[in-house]
């Protein structure tokens, strides 16, 4: 008993230190902002603002996203987002990031017990607990996982993996309880987070045969094992049917297959080389990118396809070879896990050939395979007549080095994910041929008023995406902001022409442009078109309400306000519109003052673009004398102070702009820029 207690103390100390390392490595990510698909699933999604919608998330696909092309059912993800919104009483990224991180910690705790069980079944090793802890820590601190943890809507990957691991752990840790089928419950819950849970059936199939029935992969093709394998299949049928039934239910609500757009044959041929990239990334997690510029390889004789096929062949050979001996079965099983969990994204021809968050689930198996290989190497060296202390010291140093480098990598990737600008700048470096990445970086620059450089990146993006409607919409917005109305309208029309996915955005922004130019009838027509595309989004209704207010169409204003409140009962704008419509009172009563303010704001933009920053500030101060609560004026002041490198003044101005208008993205971009520069001093 005395020896055992001594052995346990260092284990818990090491566990505590590793947990501290995990906290420290992610300590700078909790305030990282929303990115990419977060915009339509979180930021512009009115339904996550109320916990009353939690039950409706299970049958209303339009509540998952404000974009019809992304409608579907991932209800437990939506519920978790609604809880985060409720906790922060706003779109405070801290609560969303904290929630994901807590799920990640729980996932890693379960993973430790799974690794320990699998290692114990294969070898007699006094360091089993330490080995399982090291493998878990390697996975938990792996740099590549930072992509999934930072990207908030990728919580679907974290939650689905969590529920799969819970189900798997119940099955392997409590074999006597299988008759109660409790392991099916978390698997079914996992289906409500992402469409990957069916892989659990395949994983359990190989677990039973490899570890419990001692059937190697080669033995699966022998007639004498047919009956035993059939029994395994029958054992897993209840799990399969439950998962399949729920999956059929959720997929029946899917609006489209927008993301499936590559040619199937060439896409599948490209994937083996993608697997090579993932495999290498486990050991050298460099060149991670939020949006890769890899494309489908269209030449079957391309050397990359040949390399990929050689890799797959080697992978299959290794699985067959290591599935024979008991001590190497975890290697075979880990590689099977790696392969099986990559299959869903390898056979469905998604628009993105590769994506870093796709490594999150497969790396659980690869970590096991690599970890067990290290275990066997350690045992082999320990049995030789070599200085044992030197061997142990060498392994300990290698472990510390591996974990420390990955933790450092996580910390650095967190910095990249901090803002839209930092993220998309990184994409332009790592994926220079990605038109979407170039556009998004240009959009980040535009958000802080850097129109000249934004336009440069938009034009670069056109080279790679000449028919991208979102790109033309952003170019049109830039042209409108820089007082080039003819160019703006031309690009809005191009955006609508190339809008093959029936997106709402080009119509919405074009309608806003027409309204700002007092072309109310045209603005109403385009605005109604936007509203028809997605009747569950309040943004086009808010725009229509402003049109009706400015044209004194009170009945239409009242009706539109009621539609807004039907979607989002908490909408302050909807309440204001309703009151103004009932009282027949324009939202802006002093049109001459409004025109004067608008003219001055436009003048300040011209001065900014001419690099006359102090004059820009002076004009904005004139605006504030007329309208003390003008967020645009404070934003332009902040942008000008940024160019003058007076960071604290920029922070003060942008903070005021955000107090007046929390959704002012330009002000948010300028504020983040000023804060980051001030920290460097």
């Amino acid at each position: 008993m005395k020896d055992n207690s001594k052995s346990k103390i260092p284990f818990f100390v090491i566990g505590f230190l590793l947990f501290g390392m995990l906290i420290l490595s992610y300590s700078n990510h909790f305030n990282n902002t929303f990115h990419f698909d977060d915009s339509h699933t979180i930021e512009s999604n009115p339904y996550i603002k109320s916990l009353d919608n939690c039950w409706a998330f299970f049958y209303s696909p339009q509540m998952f996203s404000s974009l019809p092309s992304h409608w579907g059912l991932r209800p437990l993800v939506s519920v978790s987002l609604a809880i985060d919104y409720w906790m922060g009483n706003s779109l405070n990224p801290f609560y969303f990031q904290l929630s994901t991180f807590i799920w990640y910690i729980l996932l890693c705790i379960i993973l430790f017990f799974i690794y320990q069980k699998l290692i114990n079944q294969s070898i007699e090793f006094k360091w089993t607990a330490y080995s399982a802890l090291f493998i878990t820590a390697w996975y938990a601190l792996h740099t590549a996982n930072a992509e999934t943890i930072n990207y908030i809507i990728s919580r679907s990957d974290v939650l689905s993996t969590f529920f799969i691991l819970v189900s798997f752990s119940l099955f392997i840790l409590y074999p006597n309880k299988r008759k109660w089928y409790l392991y099916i419950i978390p698997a079914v819950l996992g289906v409500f987070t992402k469409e990957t849970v069916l892989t659990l059936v395949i994983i359990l199939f190989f677990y039973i045969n490899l570890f419990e029935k001692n059937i190697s992969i080669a033995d699966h093709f022998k007639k004498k094992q047919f009956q035993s394998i059939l029994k395994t299949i029958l054992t897993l049928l209840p799990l399969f049917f439950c998962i399949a039934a729920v999956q059929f239910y959720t997929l029946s609500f899917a609006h489209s297959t927008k993301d499936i757009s590559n040619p199937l044959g060439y896409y599948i041929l490209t994937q083996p080389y993608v697997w090579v990239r993932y495999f290498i990334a486990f050991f050298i997690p460099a060149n991670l990118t939020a949006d890769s510029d890899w494309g489908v390889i269209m030449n079957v004789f391309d050397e990359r396809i040949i390399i990929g096929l050689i890799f797959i062949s080697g992978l299959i050979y290794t699985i067959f070879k290591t599935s024979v001996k008991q001590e190497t079965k975890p290697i075979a099983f880990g590689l099977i896990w790696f392969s099986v969990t990559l299959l869903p994204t390898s056979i469905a021809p998604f628009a993105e050939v590769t994506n870093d968050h796709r490594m999150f689930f497969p790396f659980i198996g690869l970590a096991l395979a690599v970890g067990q290989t290290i275990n066997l190497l350690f045992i082999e060296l320990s049995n030789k007549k070599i200085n044992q202390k030197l061997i142990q010291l060498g392994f300990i140093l290698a472990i510390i080095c591996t974990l420390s480098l990955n933790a450092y990598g996580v910390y650095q990737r967190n910095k990249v994910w901090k803002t839209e600008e930092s993220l998309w700048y990184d994409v332009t470096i790592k994926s220079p041929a990605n038109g979407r990445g170039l556009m998004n970086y240009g959009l980040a620059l535009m958000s802080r008023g850097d129109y000249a450089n934004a336009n440069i990146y938009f034009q670069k993006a056109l080279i790679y995406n000449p028919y991208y409607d979102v790109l033309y919409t952003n170019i049109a917005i830039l042209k409108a902001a820089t007082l080039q109305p003819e160019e703006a309208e031309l690009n809005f029309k191009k955006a609508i022409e190339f809008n093959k996915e029936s997106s709402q955005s080009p119509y919405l922004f074009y309608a806003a442009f027409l309204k700002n130019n007092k072309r109310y009838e045209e603005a109403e027509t385009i605005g109604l078109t936007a509203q028809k595309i997605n009747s569950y989004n309040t943004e086009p209704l808010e725009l229509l309400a402003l049109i009706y207010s400015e044209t004194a169409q009170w009945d239409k204003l009242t009706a539109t306000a009621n539609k807004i409140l039907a979607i989002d009962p908490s909408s302050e704008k909807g309440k204001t519109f309703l009151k103004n419509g009932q009282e027949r009172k324009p939202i802006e009563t002093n049109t001459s003052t409004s025109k004067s303010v608008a003219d001055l704001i436009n003048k300040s933009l011209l001065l900014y673009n001419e690099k006359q920053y102090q004059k820009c500030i002076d004009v904005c101060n004139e605006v504030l004398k007329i309208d003390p609560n003008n967020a645009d004026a404070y934003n332009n002041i902040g942008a000008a102070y940024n160019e003058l490198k007076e960071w604290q003044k920029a922070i003060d101005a942008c903070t005021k702009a955000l107090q007046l208008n929390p959704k002012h993205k330009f002000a948010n971009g300028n504020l983040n820029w000023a804060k980051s520069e001030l920290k460097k001093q």
Side-chain angles (χ1 to χ4, degrees), residues 41-42 47-54 57 75-90 96 155:
T41 54
I42 302 173
Y47 299 105
I48 67 163
K49 295 180 180 179
S50 175
L51 292 176
D52 294 337
N53 293 322
C54 285
F57 288 142
L76 287 183
V77 176
S78 299
V79 168
S80 72
L81 296 174
I83 293 171
D84 296 339
Y85 186 93
W86 171 76
M87 287 176 64
N89 195 30
S90 66
F96 291 85
R155 178 180 303 170

Side-chain angles (χ1 to χ4, degrees), residues 392-445:
Q392 291 179 14
L393 179 61
F395 272 86
I396 290 171
L397 289 175
I399 289 169
I400 293 173
C401 183
T402 299
L403 298 183
S404 298
L405 286 173
N406 274 280
Y408 176 77
V410 167
Y411 196 83
Q412 295 305 313
R413 287 306 294 173
N414 293 342
K415 291 180 181 179
V416 169
W417 282 83
K418 185 171 182 60
T419 66
E420 283 282 271
E421 185 173 343
S422 60
L423 180 70
W424 293 110
Y425 176 72
D426 184 75
V427 170
T428 64
I429 301 300
K430 307 282 185 59
S431 309
N434 186 323
R436 182 169 57 186
L438 292 165
M439 179 201 70
N440 282 328
Y441 182 57
L443 186 59
L445 292 174

Side-chain angles (χ1 to χ4, degrees), residues 488-630:
E489 186 157 16
L490 177 64
N491 281 283
F492 275 127
K493 289 179 178 179
K494 283 185 178 180
I496 291 172
E497 177 187 352
F498 297 132
N499 181 26
K500 296 178 182 178
E501 301 294 342
S502 298
S503 171
Q504 192 179 58
S505 294
Y507 295 96
L508 180 61
F509 286 107
Y510 186 31
F513 168 80
L514 293 169
K515 181 194 81 69
N516 292 338
N517 285 276
K518 311 300 181 186
R519 295 161 60 180
Y520 293 115
E521 288 187 13
E522 296 171 87
E524 181 183 6
T525 301
I526 300 297
L528 287 170
T529 302
Q531 197 268 331
K532 286 178 183 177
I533 291 173
N534 181 5
S535 59
Y536 298 95
N537 187 13
T538 61
E539 289 180 282
L541 292 170
E542 291 169 2
L543 179 62
L544 287 166
L546 291 173
I547 294 170
Y548 298 141
S549 172
E550 292 181 20
T551 54
Q553 299 183 67
W554 310 119
D555 291 339
K556 286 186 176 181
L557 175 59
T558 302
T560 303
N562 283 321
K563 289 180 181 179
I564 294 171
L565 292 171
I567 297 170
D568 182 7
S570 66
S571 172
E572 293 300 324
K573 287 184 179 180
K575 295 173 185 177
T576 300
F577 293 146
L578 182 61
K579 181 180 178 183
N580 283 49
Q582 292 172 339
E583 295 178 357
R584 295 178 172 267
K585 177 183 176 183
I587 294 168
E588 292 181 356
T589 55
N590 191 339
T591 55
S592 61
T593 299
S594 299
K595 186 176 186 303
S596 174
V597 166
D599 289 341
L600 288 170
I601 289 293
N602 288 335
K603 183 179 178 181
S604 73
L605 285 171
L606 283 173
L607 290 168
Y608 179 89
N609 289 321
E610 292 171 0
K611 299 185 179 181
Q612 299 184 51
Y613 302 121
Q614 188 56 55
K615 288 185 178 180
C616 170
I617 293 168
D618 294 339
V619 170
C620 288
N621 283 325
E622 290 182 38
V623 172
L624 294 174
K625 290 177 183 178
I626 303 170
D627 181 7
N629 296 318
N630 191 293

